[in-house]
Amino acid sequence: MSPVRRCSRTACGRPAVATLTYVYADSTAVLGPLATYAEPHCYDLCAEHSERLTAPRGWEVVRLADASGPARPSGDDLEALANAVREAARPQERAAEAGGGARRADPMEVARRGHLRVLRSPDS
Ligand SMILES: [Zn+2]
């Protein structure tokens, strides 16, 4: 099993309960259930730092876990959305895809929460 995940804030060693993902393309920070594994754009946060989270100027914060109250979100929908958002948070890969080979169709909108749109290529 993996070791206990810790809050990524400096000088904070509390166990992480949520994962913050920055979606640079949408200027959106998505706070959701603890991610299964760490990724470059993701930061684990403890409960206190999750609640005190503030977005940089001009950014929106989307809190996936708070939508259903204190109960843990059970639906696969939230996880799927979070995973899709993490995929969308890789502009380098998307740019590389767009730049090489045949031109692809416009990406489909696969999810929406507030103003946040999750786009995915039709063939992915
Ligand atoms: Zn913390």
Side-chain angles (χ1 to χ4, degrees), residues 28-48:
T28 301
V30 179
L31 186 65
L34 194 61
T36 314
Y37 52 93
E39 295 195 48
H41 292 289
C42 297
Y43 302 87
D44 294 338
L45 295 177
C46 66
E48 184 179 334

Side-chain angles (χ1 to χ4, degrees), residues 86-103:
R86 290 186 189 107
E87 273 181 33
R90 297 168 176 152
Q92 302 90 340
E93 290 181 17
R94 297 179 68 82
E97 277 185 20
R103 176 168 174 76

Side-chain angles (χ1 to χ4, degrees), residues 70-81:
R72 282 182 68 84
S74 58
D76 292 339
D77 289 352
L78 286 181
E79 186 141 342
L81 176 59

